[in-house]
Amino acid sequence: GQNIDQPTEMTATEGAIVQINCTYQTSGFNGLFWYQQHAGEAPTFLSYNVLDGLEEKGRFSSFLSRSKGYSYLLLKELQMKDSASYLCAVEDSNYQLIWGAGTKLIIKP
Amino acid sequence: NAGVTQTPKFRILKIGQSMTLQCAQDMNHNYMYWYRQDPGMGLKLIYYSVGAGITDKGEVPNGYNVSRSTTEDFPLRLELAAPSQTSVYFCASSYLGQGQPQHFGDGTRLSIL
């Protein structure tokens, strides 16, 4: 079967660092996406990993371990505007996305 | 830059009514998708299309129909609305190939009463 797990909700403090984990078990794997979704809005693309390792993009970084079926999104220097849901999605062998339920991140002052 | 445009943004339907959700993209993307998102759940694929004239079922196609007569447009049809179809519907598009990000419209919030 296809399964993607993320924590339902996380809380962090403005200016801090937070790591959002995603574990997956899928029948095929062509890469892993992270999207950000503010409440009431559409998902927007953050990152894509296909090789093991860390990809850094400004305050956001994404890590992938294919052998462990594991990824994380690292957000540094948190800002209030980072309050959103973060969606993990695996691209399967047919280039379709299998989505996790998302992690709601709450930033406190 | 319009990107992916969905209409309407909100709609309330009565049980048994029908309607069409419109989706248009101006990025010349091959692939287009329809998802539904229920509270606390991930996006579920309803239908997708790899090009004009070609459509295929996703994970949750029952109760829906699609067509793709042009590259730009990908409407979603609900024939007999049921309360279980109350959801937020997102249309997305992408280029063909591995690692191509999907671009989403703003969504249609649909309530069936």
Side-chain angles (χ1 to χ4, degrees):
Chain A
Q2 317 269 50
N3 195 46
I4 298 179
D5 286 318
Q6 305 179 235
T8 302
E9 187 173 297
M10 299 180 71
T11 302
T13 304
E14 190 176 16
I17 299 173
V18 71
Q19 178 175 311
I20 302 173
N21 296 326
C22 171
T23 58
Y24 63 89
Q25 290 178 303
T26 57
S27 55
F29 182 86
N30 267 336
L32 188 144
F33 288 86
W34 285 96
Y35 280 77
Q36 181 189 58
Q37 185 177 25
H38 285 102
E41 298 184 8
T44 55
F45 169 72
L46 286 177
S47 67
Y48 171 74
N49 293 67
V50 64
L51 300 176
D52 286 356
L54 187 68
E55 296 272 350
E56 297 187 73
K57 196 183 287 186
R59 293 189 300 115
F60 291 11
S61 303
S62 55
F63 171 84
L64 176 67
S65 169
R66 294 180 65 151
S67 61
K68 295 182 179 178
Y70 168 68
S71 174
Y72 67 73
L73 182 69
L74 191 71
L75 290 73
K76 302 176 185 177
E77 301 169 16
L78 286 170
Q79 302 175 9
M80 297 304 293
K81 68 178 181 178
D82 297 330
S83 292
S85 288
Y86 291 86
L87 312 178
C88 170
V90 169
E91 185 176 56
D92 69 13
S93 51
N94 295 317
Y95 306 120
Q96 301 301 321
L97 293 187
I98 305 160
W99 295 83
T103 299
K104 183 177 180 180
L105 179 63
I106 300 168
I107 311 296
K108 296 187 174 180
Chain B
N1 294 335
V4 180
T5 303
Q6 288 186 239
T7 56
K9 295 193 184 303
F10 304 93
R11 184 73 184 268
I12 298 174
L13 283 181
K14 293 182 179 179
I15 296 171
Q17 286 186 319
S18 61
M19 77 164 293
T20 299
L21 282 65
Q22 301 292 344
C23 176
Q25 54 93 9
D26 63 358
M27 296 173 282
N28 203 31
H29 285 164
N30 314 88
Y31 278 56
M32 295 188 74
Y33 312 83
W34 273 106
Y35 293 98
R36 60 178 288 173
Q37 186 176 38
D38 299 322
M41 306 289 285
L43 293 160
K44 300 292 185 184
L45 183 64
I46 304 171
Y47 271 95
Y48 68 99
S49 169
V50 302
I54 305 170
T55 63
D56 210 345
K57 296 177 181 179
E59 184 182 359
V60 290
N62 291 345
Y64 307 94
N65 278 300
V66 293
S67 60
R68 184 127 180 243
S69 56
T70 66
T71 299
E72 295 78 19
D73 300 299
F74 190 41
L76 177 72
R77 178 86 176 159
L78 281 73
E79 289 294 349
L80 290 170
S84 61
Q85 294 177 305
T86 293
S87 190
V88 180
Y89 291 83
F90 287 104
C91 178
S93 70
S94 73
Y95 287 116
L96 170 68
Q98 183 180 0
Q100 295 295 329
Q102 294 182 14
H103 301 263
F104 286 80
D106 289 336
T108 295
R109 282 144 188 83
L110 182 63
S111 294
I112 316 294
L113 303 176

mmCIF file of all heavy atoms in Angstrom, chain B residues 12-13 23-24 26 42 51 55 59 64 67 76 81-82 84 88 98 105 108:
data_model
loop_
_atom_site.group_PDB
_atom_site.id
_atom_site.type_symbol
_atom_site.label_atom_id
_atom_site.label_comp_id
_atom_site.label_asym_id
_atom_site.label_seq_id
_atom_site.Cartn_x
_atom_site.Cartn_y
_atom_site.Cartn_z
ATOM 1 N N ILE B 12 -22.798 26.780 -3.245
ATOM 2 C CA ILE B 12 -23.651 25.913 -2.431
ATOM 3 C C ILE B 12 -24.627 25.229 -3.371
ATOM 4 O O ILE B 12 -25.312 25.901 -4.159
ATOM 5 C CB ILE B 12 -24.400 26.705 -1.353
ATOM 6 C CG1 ILE B 12 -23.409 27.363 -0.391
ATOM 7 C CG2 ILE B 12 -25.365 25.806 -0.592
ATOM 8 C CD1 ILE B 12 -24.052 28.278 0.627
ATOM 9 N N LEU B 13 -24.693 23.917 -3.293
ATOM 10 C CA LEU B 13 -25.596 23.131 -4.133
ATOM 11 C C LEU B 13 -26.589 22.367 -3.265
ATOM 12 O O LEU B 13 -26.275 22.021 -2.120
ATOM 13 C CB LEU B 13 -24.824 22.112 -4.958
ATOM 14 C CG LEU B 13 -24.052 22.546 -6.188
ATOM 15 C CD1 LEU B 13 -23.407 21.324 -6.834
ATOM 16 C CD2 LEU B 13 -24.953 23.257 -7.182
ATOM 17 N N CYS B 23 -11.684 25.154 -14.869
ATOM 18 C CA CYS B 23 -10.253 25.305 -14.630
ATOM 19 C C CYS B 23 -9.576 25.632 -15.940
ATOM 20 O O CYS B 23 -9.804 24.946 -16.952
ATOM 21 C CB CYS B 23 -9.664 24.027 -14.046
ATOM 22 S SG CYS B 23 -7.864 24.101 -13.843
ATOM 23 N N ALA B 24 -8.733 26.664 -15.921
ATOM 24 C CA ALA B 24 -7.981 27.043 -17.113
ATOM 25 C C ALA B 24 -6.563 27.409 -16.712
ATOM 26 O O ALA B 24 -6.353 28.016 -15.658
ATOM 27 C CB ALA B 24 -8.649 28.218 -17.818
ATOM 28 N N ASP B 26 -2.683 28.938 -18.340
ATOM 29 C CA ASP B 26 -2.089 29.645 -19.483
ATOM 30 C C ASP B 26 -0.585 29.420 -19.552
ATOM 31 O O ASP B 26 0.159 30.245 -20.098
ATOM 32 C CB ASP B 26 -2.419 31.135 -19.407
ATOM 33 C CG ASP B 26 -1.848 31.816 -18.182
ATOM 34 O OD1 ASP B 26 -1.214 31.128 -17.347
ATOM 35 O OD2 ASP B 26 -2.036 33.041 -18.047
ATOM 36 N N GLY B 42 -5.139 14.727 3.362
ATOM 37 C CA GLY B 42 -4.295 15.114 2.241
ATOM 38 C C GLY B 42 -5.119 15.308 0.989
ATOM 39 O O GLY B 42 -6.312 15.044 0.949
ATOM 40 N N GLY B 51 -2.955 15.371 -21.647
ATOM 41 C CA GLY B 51 -3.003 16.202 -22.838
ATOM 42 C C GLY B 51 -4.417 16.268 -23.369
ATOM 43 O O GLY B 51 -5.301 15.529 -22.902
ATOM 44 N N THR B 55 -7.850 11.598 -20.742
ATOM 45 C CA THR B 55 -8.105 11.737 -19.312
ATOM 46 C C THR B 55 -8.045 10.370 -18.658
ATOM 47 O O THR B 55 -8.215 9.342 -19.333
ATOM 48 C CB THR B 55 -9.480 12.371 -19.026
ATOM 49 O OG1 THR B 55 -10.510 11.509 -19.525
ATOM 50 C CG2 THR B 55 -9.596 13.742 -19.672
ATOM 51 N N GLU B 59 -7.634 8.525 -7.696
ATOM 52 C CA GLU B 59 -7.959 7.695 -6.540
ATOM 53 C C GLU B 59 -9.448 7.700 -6.201
ATOM 54 O O GLU B 59 -9.996 6.694 -5.760
ATOM 55 C CB GLU B 59 -7.154 8.198 -5.342
ATOM 56 C CG GLU B 59 -7.291 7.408 -4.065
ATOM 57 C CD GLU B 59 -6.486 8.025 -2.929
ATOM 58 O OE1 GLU B 59 -5.814 9.055 -3.143
ATOM 59 O OE2 GLU B 59 -6.537 7.480 -1.802
ATOM 60 N N TYR B 64 -17.894 11.935 -10.406
ATOM 61 C CA TYR B 64 -17.310 13.045 -11.161
ATOM 62 C C TYR B 64 -17.039 12.626 -12.607
ATOM 63 O O TYR B 64 -16.863 11.452 -12.894
ATOM 64 C CB TYR B 64 -15.985 13.484 -10.542
ATOM 65 C CG TYR B 64 -16.034 13.804 -9.072
ATOM 66 C CD1 TYR B 64 -15.708 12.837 -8.131
ATOM 67 C CD2 TYR B 64 -16.389 15.077 -8.628
ATOM 68 C CE1 TYR B 64 -15.749 13.124 -6.775
ATOM 69 C CE2 TYR B 64 -16.424 15.371 -7.271
ATOM 70 C CZ TYR B 64 -16.102 14.382 -6.353
ATOM 71 O OH TYR B 64 -16.144 14.678 -5.006
ATOM 72 N N SER B 67 -13.451 16.345 -18.913
ATOM 73 C CA SER B 67 -13.152 16.358 -20.344
ATOM 74 C C SER B 67 -11.973 17.284 -20.554
ATOM 75 O O SER B 67 -11.706 18.157 -19.718
ATOM 76 C CB SER B 67 -14.362 16.837 -21.150
ATOM 77 O OG SER B 67 -14.729 18.146 -20.752
ATOM 78 N N LEU B 76 -14.432 20.063 -14.463
ATOM 79 C CA LEU B 76 -14.852 18.924 -13.644
ATOM 80 C C LEU B 76 -16.363 19.004 -13.468
ATOM 81 O O LEU B 76 -16.893 20.019 -13.034
ATOM 82 C CB LEU B 76 -14.172 18.976 -12.267
ATOM 83 C CG LEU B 76 -14.558 17.890 -11.270
ATOM 84 C CD1 LEU B 76 -13.974 16.540 -11.686
ATOM 85 C CD2 LEU B 76 -14.081 18.257 -9.862
ATOM 86 N N ALA B 81 -25.155 15.852 -7.181
ATOM 87 C CA ALA B 81 -24.401 16.232 -5.998
ATOM 88 C C ALA B 81 -24.889 15.494 -4.750
ATOM 89 O O ALA B 81 -26.107 15.349 -4.520
ATOM 90 C CB ALA B 81 -24.500 17.731 -5.776
ATOM 91 N N ALA B 82 -23.928 15.044 -3.946
ATOM 92 C CA ALA B 82 -24.211 14.343 -2.693
ATOM 93 C C ALA B 82 -23.451 15.039 -1.565
ATOM 94 O O ALA B 82 -22.391 15.637 -1.809
ATOM 95 C CB ALA B 82 -23.788 12.886 -2.802
ATOM 96 N N SER B 84 -21.479 13.966 0.530
ATOM 97 C CA SER B 84 -20.088 13.490 0.636
ATOM 98 C C SER B 84 -19.143 14.244 -0.303
ATOM 99 O O SER B 84 -17.919 14.130 -0.173
ATOM 100 C CB SER B 84 -20.021 11.994 0.328
ATOM 101 O OG SER B 84 -20.477 11.754 -1.001
ATOM 102 N N VAL B 88 -13.150 21.082 -0.616
ATOM 103 C CA VAL B 88 -12.461 22.117 -1.390
ATOM 104 C C VAL B 88 -11.806 21.424 -2.574
ATOM 105 O O VAL B 88 -11.102 20.422 -2.404
ATOM 106 C CB VAL B 88 -11.402 22.846 -0.549
ATOM 107 C CG1 VAL B 88 -10.707 23.904 -1.396
ATOM 108 C CG2 VAL B 88 -12.039 23.480 0.685
ATOM 109 N N GLN B 98 9.629 13.952 -14.696
ATOM 110 C CA GLN B 98 9.980 13.761 -13.293
ATOM 111 C C GLN B 98 10.350 15.085 -12.629
ATOM 112 O O GLN B 98 11.099 15.890 -13.190
ATOM 113 C CB GLN B 98 11.165 12.801 -13.208
ATOM 114 C CG GLN B 98 11.597 12.459 -11.804
ATOM 115 C CD GLN B 98 12.774 11.494 -11.806
ATOM 116 O OE1 GLN B 98 13.252 11.092 -12.859
ATOM 117 N NE2 GLN B 98 13.241 11.126 -10.636
ATOM 118 N N GLY B 105 -4.528 26.189 -8.695
ATOM 119 C CA GLY B 105 -5.482 27.288 -8.659
ATOM 120 C C GLY B 105 -5.873 27.585 -7.222
ATOM 121 O O GLY B 105 -5.468 26.883 -6.292
ATOM 122 N N THR B 108 -11.986 25.821 -5.262
ATOM 123 C CA THR B 108 -13.434 26.060 -5.222
ATOM 124 C C THR B 108 -13.967 25.402 -3.965
ATOM 125 O O THR B 108 -13.766 24.203 -3.759
ATOM 126 C CB THR B 108 -14.142 25.454 -6.447
ATOM 127 O OG1 THR B 108 -13.719 26.117 -7.631
ATOM 128 C CG2 THR B 108 -15.658 25.581 -6.305
#
